[in-house]
Amino acid sequence: MGSIGEKRVREEDGEVGSEKEKRSVTETVCSDVTDSVGDGAGAITKALSRGERERRIADAIQTVLECLDEDPNREGLRKTPSRYAKALMDLTDGYRMSLREVVGDAEFEESHSEIVFLSNVEVHSLCEHHMVPFHGKCHIAYIPSGKVIGLSKLARIAELYSRRLQIQERLTREIAEAVVEAIDPLGVAVFMEASHMCMVMRGVRKTSAR
């Protein structure tokens, strides 16, 4: 499945009456990751320690195994709930990171005005509908507006948002919005293609679809 995210939202005038001063800008609010957890159950769980979160997940997986008519006490499954809990916490580390932490001080004043393009950034995420993996590559491009960002930070931004429960469309948009939040470029585009296990291993079972 391919998707394109582009942030080029509205025009503002610079000097009054000067068409040359018009530029595309994006207004976006990137809240702290802790704020994005939400209210209700999320507000409760964000106060829990990692160990307590893992324990709760492991207890839930114990129940899942029992519902599958498996024996959670047999040798091969005895430690599966705790292993799964640790793995799931690792795969969703993006919830516990922020854009500011990822970008750090890797923003640089630069008069360069040509397109900056980073291709083939590997992406691994979990579909929020079935909680099975999807993986692929994304390509990120932006036009600087007096500031550039370290290339490795573009890859880390993709990692930040992919290590959450996601859909490809939102992931693509969030990467684009994060670049705008970090350096306010003239324009940014993100293209992503991925293979979704929810339509490879189940459902329509189309192994070549991207």
Side-chain angles (χ1 to χ4, degrees):
M1 178 180 179
S3 56
I4 298 177
E6 182 178 358
K7 301 303 295 180
R8 187 177 284 272
V9 178
R10 68 184 180 85
E11 289 189 340
E12 287 185 343
D13 289 332
E15 298 292 336
V16 177
S18 173
E19 291 294 325
K20 291 183 180 180
E21 291 300 321
K22 286 187 176 182
R23 59 187 291 263
S24 295
V25 298
T26 297
E27 293 184 338
T28 181
V29 177
C30 182
S31 61
D32 290 340
V33 174
T34 52
D35 294 334
S36 70
V37 175
D39 297 323
I44 297 172
T45 57
K46 67 180 180 180
L48 297 176
S49 67
R50 186 180 182 107
E52 177 61 18
R53 292 170 189 241
E54 290 181 3
R55 187 191 66 76
R56 289 190 176 198
I57 295 171
D59 288 346
I61 296 303
Q62 178 94 0
T63 301
V64 169
L65 292 174
E66 292 169 353
C67 290
L68 296 176
D69 291 329
E70 264 290 0
D71 176 12
N73 294 314
R74 70 178 176 85
E75 184 179 9
L77 293 176
R78 202 170 296 146
K79 294 183 179 180
T80 294
S82 62
R83 290 191 189 105
Y84 183 89
K86 292 180 186 298
L88 188 59
M89 289 295 290
D90 180 60
L91 293 170
T92 58
D93 263 346
Y95 287 120
R96 292 165 291 281
M97 296 187 292
S98 71
L99 179 61
R100 285 191 293 272
E101 290 172 333
V102 167
V103 174
D105 58 357
E107 305 167 21
F108 309 100
E109 300 292 331
E110 179 57 57
S111 60
H112 180 80
S113 60
E114 301 297 323
I115 292 177
V116 177
F117 179 60
L118 182 66
S119 65
N120 297 318
V121 179
E122 292 184 1
V123 169
H124 301 271
S125 192
L126 292 174
C127 164
E128 67 179 32
H129 299 143
H130 302 95
M131 288 184 66
V132 294
F134 68 89
H135 61 90
K137 295 180 179 180
C138 75
H139 317 282
I140 306 169
Y142 70 91
I143 302 174
S145 177
K147 187 183 293 186
V148 297
I149 189 172
L151 285 178
S152 69
K153 300 304 181 180
L154 294 177
R156 290 188 182 278
I157 287 172
E159 182 85 352
L160 167 66
Y161 293 102
S162 65
R163 296 185 80 82
R164 304 179 181 191
L165 301 184
Q166 278 287 10
I167 59 173
Q168 184 174 329
E169 295 84 352
R170 184 173 67 240
L171 174 57
T172 304
R173 173 178 55 81
E174 287 181 338
I175 293 171
E177 289 178 342
V179 176
V180 170
E181 176 75 9
I183 56 172
D184 190 26
L186 293 177
V188 57
V190 179
F191 173 78
M192 185 179 300
E193 53 183 348
S195 177
H196 294 250
M197 293 302 102
C198 59
M199 64 179 291
V200 172
M201 299 175 64
R202 57 164 297 282
V204 295
R205 293 183 172 85
K206 300 301 181 185
T207 59
S208 299
R210 295 289 187 275

